[in-house]
Structures are given as C-alpha cells and as structure tokens.
Amino acid sequence: MFDGYDSCSEDTSSSSSSEESEEEVAPLPSSLPIIKNNGQVYTYPDGKSGMATCEMCGMVGVRDAFYSKTKRFCSVSCSRSYSSNSKKASILARLQGKPPTKKAKVLQKQPLVAKLAAYAQYQATLQNQAKTKAAVSLESFSWGNYINSNSFIAAPVTCFKHAPMGTCWGDISENVRVEVPNTDCSLPTKVFWIAGIIKLAGYNALLRYEGFENDSGLDFWCNICGSDIHPVGWCAASGKPLVPPRTIQHKYTNWKAFLVKRLTGAKTLPPDFSQKVSESMQYPFKPCMRVEVVDKRHLCRTRVAVVESVIGGRLRLVYEESEDRTDDFWCHMHSPLIHHIGWSRSIGHRFKRSDITKKQDGHFDTPPHLFAKVKEVDQSGEWFKEGMKLEAIDPLNLSTICVATIRKVLADGFLMIGIDGSEAADGSDWFCYHATSPSIFPVGFCEINMIELTPPRGYTKLPFKWFDYLRETGSIAAPVKLFNKDVPNHGFRVGMKLEAVDLMEPRLICVATVTRIIHRLLRIHFDGWEEEYDQWVDCESPDLYPVGWCQLTGYQLQPPASQSSRESQSASSKQKKKAKSQQYKGHKKSGSPRGVYIHFLIVNQLGSQWSSTENSIPVRADACLLCIMLKGAVCHKRQTFH
C-alpha cells in the first residue's frame, strides 16, 4: 500500500490559464494628427468647447454625454476597461482595432474618424517604443486566498442547475475524504495521499492531508472536479501508491492502521464521480450550427448566426453575414436570446433577412429541441394588451427597474416592451420578454419590495405615483394574475460569492456577490465596483456560475477591481449620494446619447438574462456620412441608432 516516504516536489496544483503579455503602450500625446476624410478635415477637440475625447477608446463626443464626473470616458464599458489590471493591453488592442486577449470586444464603439486618428497615433507610438517594449501581465487571482482572507461564503453548486454537476452534486460537503497527489514528498513519480475537505466554495475545496489534524500548514485549495481528485479506493484499484507527506511521515509507525481508524464511517466521492463530471460537460451545441439570435445593433429584431465555439456551455456566435468572423455575440446555450431557425416568423417577431442566399458548406440548422423551453400560456382569456403598463428591468441599465409599456403582443406568450420616456420613434429599442419572464413585474412591485422605481425620463412629478401616472396617461395596469409568481427554492443567500457574466461586456465573467434577494430576483454586485454597475438577475439565470467554474472550463475569470479603483469609485459614489435628491437612477441627463455603447442590446423572454448598452437616450436624426460609412452602426455624430 505504501511505496516510500520521501517526497517528490512535483507541482500538482492546476491552473486555468498561463500568464499572458502584451506590448505596453505609452500615454497618448495631447496633440493628435489631423485626418482628412471625403474632403473634410477633422481633428481631436481640446476639450474646452463642450467636447471630450475618451481616454480608453479615443471616441470624440459631446462632453455632457460622457460618463463619470470627470467626463474622461464615453461609456461605463470604457471606464471599467481603463481601470482594470489589463488597462494597457486593452488600450493597445482597441487602438489596433481588435479585441484585447480574453477580453470583451466593443464593436464600432468609436466613430470612423476617431478610429483613424487613434490608429495613426498608435503607429507613431510603435516607432517611439520599438526598442523599449515591455510586457503587460494579467494579475493572478486566487479564489482560495480571496475566500480565506475575508471569510466569504460561496453559493453552493446546487444553486446552479445549468452548470456542470449542478443537478448531481450529491452529499459532497465538509469532512468528505478524497485521494489527491501528495506534493510533500521527494519521490520521482507522482504519488497520492488522502485528504479531507475543510471548507467548500463552489467547485473549490480547502483540503488537509490526513495526519495533520489541527495543523493547517500544508492546507491547499483545489477544484473537486479536477482530474487529480479521486474517491478513496481509487489508488488501490489503479495500482497507485499512497505515501504519507514527508512532514509527518514519522508521526505514526503504522500508517495502515491509522487510515483504517480515520476512514471508518467517513464519506468519500461516488465511484463514478469523474464520469459524471465528464458527462455534465458534454454540450449538444456544436460549431457550424445555425441559430436565430438577437441583433445586437437593433434589440427589436433577430438575425441568423453560426456557432463558432462552445466553452462550458457558453456559445460564441458569429453573425452569418460577418465576412471576417469578428462580428460576434456571446451567450449561454440555455439563453432566452437564441432560438431555432424560423422562430421569429412563427411568433411575429422582427427578423433581419440575411444577404446570404444559401447556407455555407458545413453549416446546418440547430434542432429546435436543443433550445430552452418556455412555459405554455393560454392567451384565449384575459391577457396582456398593447398599452398596458408594468414594471420591467431596463435592458440598457441593468441596475434599474423602470416604468414600462407593452408595445406589441406576439404569439406563444411573447411581448414587446418599451421603457417609458426612453423609446426610439421607430420602436428599434423595444425588447422581447415572455409573459412568464421573472424580469417583468406588475404595477407596485417595486414599492411593495422597497426597490427604487425609475420613473419615465422627463417626468417631473416626483416622487412617482402609479395612480397619478395611469390617470394622466389614460392607461391601465396589466393584471397582476398574469405575471409569473413562481419562486423556486434556489438556495442563494445574501453575501454569497459566485462568478457572474458582466452583461455590459458579455464575454467577461467576473467575481461577484449576491447583495439582495427579492423572491427569485437577485441583485448581483461586481466586487470592487460601484453599485451602479450592479445587475438584477433571475435566480435561474444561465449567466451565473459557481466559484471555480472558470477554472473548470478554462474560461478567463476577471478579478475584483484594484484597491485604487475602489477608492476612486468610492469617492465618486459619495458625490452622487449628495445629489441623490435632485436626480433619479437610470438614464443620463438630457442630451446624452443612449446609443453610445452598442456591444449588447437585449432582453428576452424568460427574463433570466439580458445584454445591455450604455443607458442614455437616442436622439433621432437623419443619417449622416459617418453613419453610412459605419454601415448602420451607432452614429456618434448624430447620437442615434440608424
């Protein structure tokens, strides 16, 4: 049973990603080149005449429309990216016109003129630093250290039914014994020893080798679903040696008797645990499958996209008309934002027809049964009607619940919703929810649950009163009985840690905390960031994951903001609190373009996830030259969607 007592100092800890480096970018000089375009001359404004330049992406725009008190950034996205620990790599990548490594990509965020000017400056910067290139490394983050040093509690894996092992986690808990590699020995081959779970944090467990008793000197964190974690008895069945750690090898003379005594009556992993882990990480969606997915430039319609890759059940979708395959969209395979081909036509939803007349070689339609099912509803009796009022999470500002109106009733229980006071004249910013969505609420929901309701933009009779508003607008409230009132026993508690998709940048998954629970609605806070970045998310959202999910699937986890960022955000927050009585949360002040940030747009039926844009207001205007050149993207000159 034991083949030696000396240690092999082999490192058996797992790592989700290796350190990466990018070229360091020197600060941009104040004077930027003049760019000629179609006979017109442009240059960067100096910021003294009501204009500003984004320090992150180089976008030029009206100063009042910029984000934050200092007006240094054009959007929340740029502010967050600038403050992140990979700031320089992000700046370099954006100037090159490509997404930073393992970071979310912002499509057409800056106008063409700004792109040209920034790229010209980038070329000059490269020449100046050719001999002094420096690497920018991503700061490592350890969930174990983070949990230990702050005594945090992580949400259990059983809270996430869509995640691997979410439905078959079983009785894995503290004191369960496992066989793991023994790193405290000097043998030339890998050997194992038995350890007990001291603490669980999602998939991660704090382990202590048997024999150390109350000594925590060699405690270590590992992912229970990792390939080197086995149930007790695996070594005997596999012919692997069990060797006690060198630190305690002389503590007992009869290790076999010691183990028999310690393991009698103890629990271990199921014999087929590794097989279940493998099976739970098999995903039915495959590359080259075609789906209908929300058009991120116009949230009121869908488009055809093709599955490019699948990571942990998350799909990278590339719009079918994207020639260079960079126009992509990230979401989970259970997302309510994707549907089978033909879904839009079947329910009367808007759909952007593809210019491609036939399927490309190897592409095929995804079978309809693979998509998330919605609850069947009876629309024959009393039902939602156009013009009815309700409360809904704003897809363009996920931290707010707003006054909203049903704009169109579709088939199969789907509804098109618009946020009062913030809608485009052509309905291009309506968004689709299913009637059973847990993200739409009856009139009075916020008041009953002590949530701040965001009134319509420009509404002056504050504090907002639903009774007065319904009378003034000649509207009626949607019947309470039509809303979803199911509240599952989800298991979340306030203060629990998890990994959550940042729906402002849906490629990013961040360290997050549950800060409030209202029935099935969770308030998700991103650690290190202000509350204005928080998101209301359904408890069954596929955009929430257990601690350790990124490591298990090989996805890049975004750590909390740095201390300096937190102090800066805190100071800004105090300023906002002083002015709280003069303003309401949600939309920017008058004149701000709601369409400044267009990476994601949408809310859809089951309410478990949204994607979002910057939360200001679109101003309708005729198309301009830049808009035409950007082929229909957000026009920052006219500040509108076209």
Side-chain angles (χ1 to χ4, degrees):
M1 185 174 183
F2 310 106
D3 291 342
Y5 296 103
D6 292 332
S7 168
C8 58
S9 57
E10 178 183 2
D11 184 7
T12 58
S13 61
S14 61
S15 175
S16 60
S17 61
S18 58
E19 236 180 275
E20 297 180 9
S21 63
E22 298 286 349
E23 294 178 346
E24 185 173 1
V25 179
L28 293 178
S30 57
S31 58
L32 290 173
I34 293 177
I35 302 296
K36 292 185 178 182
N37 186 51
N38 287 0
Q40 300 185 46
V41 178
Y42 300 86
T43 186
Y44 272 51
D46 58 7
K48 298 179 181 180
S49 304
M51 300 295 286
T53 302
C54 179
E55 295 184 17
M56 180 63 199
C57 70
M59 197 276 283
V60 180
V62 179
R63 175 175 290 274
D64 288 342
F66 270 43
Y67 175 75
S68 82
K69 180 181 177 181
T70 57
K71 307 301 181 186
R72 297 169 59 199
F73 308 103
C74 67
S75 69
V76 175
S77 171
C78 275
S79 174
R80 300 182 79 169
S81 297
Y82 189 90
S83 300
S84 70
N85 53 22
S86 57
K87 172 180 62 179
K88 294 180 180 179
S90 297
I91 294 174
L92 172 62
R94 291 179 191 273
L95 290 178
Q96 288 178 302
K98 63 183 181 182
T101 303
K102 295 186 179 179
K103 291 286 183 178
K105 179 176 63 177
V106 178
L107 296 173
Q108 303 291 358
K109 186 170 183 180
Q110 61 271 45
L112 182 61
V113 170
K115 282 185 176 180
L116 294 173
Y119 187 72
Q121 182 58 44
Y122 161 71
Q123 296 287 2
T125 302
L126 283 185
Q127 296 178 3
N128 294 333
Q129 63 176 22
K131 298 182 179 180
T132 58
K133 291 182 179 179
V136 179
S137 60
L138 293 175
E139 181 183 355
S140 61
F141 171 78
S142 168
W143 261 120
N145 294 337
Y146 193 58
I147 294 286
N148 272 352
S149 59
N150 299 280
S151 299
F152 290 140
I153 298 176
V157 173
T158 52
C159 291
F160 310 88
K161 305 303 182 186
H162 60 281
M165 301 298 291
T167 58
C168 53
W169 191 243
D171 296 326
I172 299 175
S173 60
E174 294 179 6
N175 296 320
V176 166
R177 306 305 206 282
V178 292
E179 294 182 352
V180 295
N182 177 7
T183 59
D184 184 26
C185 70
S186 56
L187 296 176
T189 58
K190 181 185 290 187
V191 295
F192 293 79
W193 189 241
I194 296 173
I197 297 177
I198 302 300
K199 185 175 183 178
L200 269 178
Y203 294 117
N204 292 347
L206 179 62
L207 299 179
R208 181 175 299 170
Y209 289 121
E210 284 294 342
F212 277 81
E213 299 175 350
N214 295 324
D215 182 0
S216 61
L218 286 184
D219 288 1
F220 60 99
W221 285 88
C222 71
N223 195 304
I224 287 294
C225 295
S227 59
D228 272 338
I229 310 300
H230 308 283
V232 173
W234 177 84
C235 284
S238 305
K240 303 292 184 180
L242 277 176
V243 180
R246 179 174 51 183
T247 303
I248 59 170
Q249 62 181 343
H250 301 298
K251 190 173 183 179
Y252 298 98
T253 56
N254 190 340
W255 282 103
K256 184 174 182 180
F258 168 79
L259 289 181
V260 170
K261 182 178 179 180
R262 291 288 296 172
L263 299 180
T264 299
K267 293 182 179 179
T268 188
L269 300 177
D272 60 346
F273 183 77
S274 60
Q275 180 182 347
K276 287 184 177 179
V277 171
S278 178
E279 292 174 352
S280 67
M281 296 181 67
Q282 300 299 314
Y283 308 106
F285 281 80
K286 306 297 180 185
C288 296
M289 284 185 171
R290 299 170 76 242
V291 300
E292 284 187 12
V293 64
V294 60
D295 184 344
K296 63 187 177 186
R297 291 185 176 87
H298 298 276
L299 69 167
C300 66
R301 70 187 185 187
T302 57
R303 296 173 60 183
V304 173
V306 179
V307 177
E308 178 73 13
S309 60
V310 183
I311 304 177
R314 301 201 78 219
L315 311 178
R316 178 180 181 256
L317 303 173
V318 176
Y319 289 112
E320 196 170 46
E321 296 170 292
S322 175
E323 295 181 358
D324 58 2
R325 308 193 69 76
T326 60
D327 191 3
D328 61 357
F329 185 98
W330 280 86
C331 65
H332 193 272
M333 65 182 183
H334 294 156
S335 168
L337 306 180
I338 59 173
H339 311 275
H340 62 85
I341 299 297
W343 173 84
S344 297
R345 177 181 295 181
S346 68
I347 70 161
H349 194 281
R350 293 187 190 178
F351 178 76
K352 181 179 184 290
R353 295 186 179 278
S354 174
D355 294 334
I356 299 176
T357 57
K358 63 179 182 178
K359 299 178 188 176
Q360 298 183 20
D361 292 341
H363 292 178
F364 58 100
D365 296 350
T366 307
H369 71 271
L370 297 185
F371 296 88
K373 306 297 181 185
V374 295
K375 184 178 179 180
E376 293 185 4
V377 294
D378 181 11
Q379 298 182 228
S380 60
E382 185 177 12
W383 192 244
F384 292 101
K385 293 182 175 59
E386 291 183 17
M388 284 183 172
K389 300 293 183 181
L390 69 163
E391 299 175 5
I393 295 174
D394 184 356
L396 307 183
N397 186 354
L398 300 170
S399 66
T400 63
I401 298 178
C402 304
V403 174
T405 303
I406 297 173
R407 293 305 181 188
K408 188 176 181 181
V409 179
L410 308 178
D412 296 342
F414 290 97
L415 309 170
M416 296 302 294
I417 306 291
I419 298 296
D420 284 22
S422 305
E423 298 177 63
D426 60 357
S428 60
D429 58 352
W430 295 351
F431 47 94
C432 184
Y433 276 131
H434 193 263
T436 61
S437 167
S439 295
I440 58 175
F441 318 97
V443 164
F445 173 85
C446 285
E447 182 178 1
I448 292 172
N449 293 286
M450 293 180 289
I451 300 174
E452 185 173 357
L453 176 68
T454 301
R457 181 174 179 79
Y459 190 76
T460 57
K461 295 184 179 180
L462 302 178
F464 178 84
K465 298 295 182 183
W466 263 115
F467 180 81
D468 295 338
Y469 185 68
L470 291 174
R471 183 184 58 191
E472 293 167 5
T473 58
S475 307
I476 62 173
V480 176
K481 66 180 182 181
L482 298 181
F483 292 85
N484 180 11
K485 293 180 279 294
D486 295 336
V487 181
N489 184 19
H490 48 69
F492 287 103
R493 299 290 181 269
V494 171
M496 283 183 170
K497 296 293 179 181
L498 70 164
E499 298 176 1
V501 175
D502 178 358
L503 294 170
M504 290 293 292
E505 295 268 13
R507 186 178 299 194
L508 302 184
I509 297 181
C510 310
V511 173
T513 307
V514 177
T515 57
R516 195 173 180 193
I517 301 174
I518 306 295
H519 306 305
R520 63 181 298 146
L521 197 62
L522 309 181
R523 179 85 171 184
I524 301 299
H525 173 74
F526 295 105
D527 289 16
W529 297 101
E530 267 192 332
E531 291 183 0
E532 65 186 82
Y533 299 109
D534 290 1
Q535 298 175 355
W536 287 109
V537 181
D538 182 57
C539 64
E540 295 182 341
S541 168
D543 288 317
L544 303 179
Y545 304 99
V547 166
W549 181 89
C550 283
Q551 181 188 22
L552 177 63
T553 60
Y555 210 95
Q556 175 68 44
L557 177 67
Q558 305 302 314
S562 63
Q563 181 64 37
S564 59
S565 297
R566 285 195 292 270
E567 292 173 353
S568 174
Q569 296 289 343
S570 177
S572 175
S573 180
K574 291 178 181 178
Q575 286 292 115
K576 292 182 180 179
K577 288 181 180 178
K578 292 180 181 179
K580 187 175 181 180
S581 59
Q582 287 84 29
Q583 61 183 352
Y584 57 86
K585 292 181 180 180
H587 306 300
K588 301 285 185 181
K589 58 185 178 180
S590 178
S592 297
R594 185 170 187 167
V596 167
Y597 174 49
I598 65 163
H599 182 73
F600 250 26
L601 294 173
I602 188 73
V603 174
N604 209 328
Q605 57 272 24
L606 295 179
S608 55
Q609 65 201 67
W610 319 252
S611 302
S612 56
T613 64
E614 172 62 358
N615 55 349
S616 36
I617 301 295
V619 180
R620 299 304 303 174
D622 294 332
C624 68
L625 175 62
L626 282 180
C627 183
I628 295 173
M629 296 179 70
L630 291 176
K631 299 180 180 179
V634 172
C635 171
H636 298 288
K637 181 178 179 183
R638 295 296 187 186
Q639 300 176 351
T640 183
F641 286 101
H642 292 308

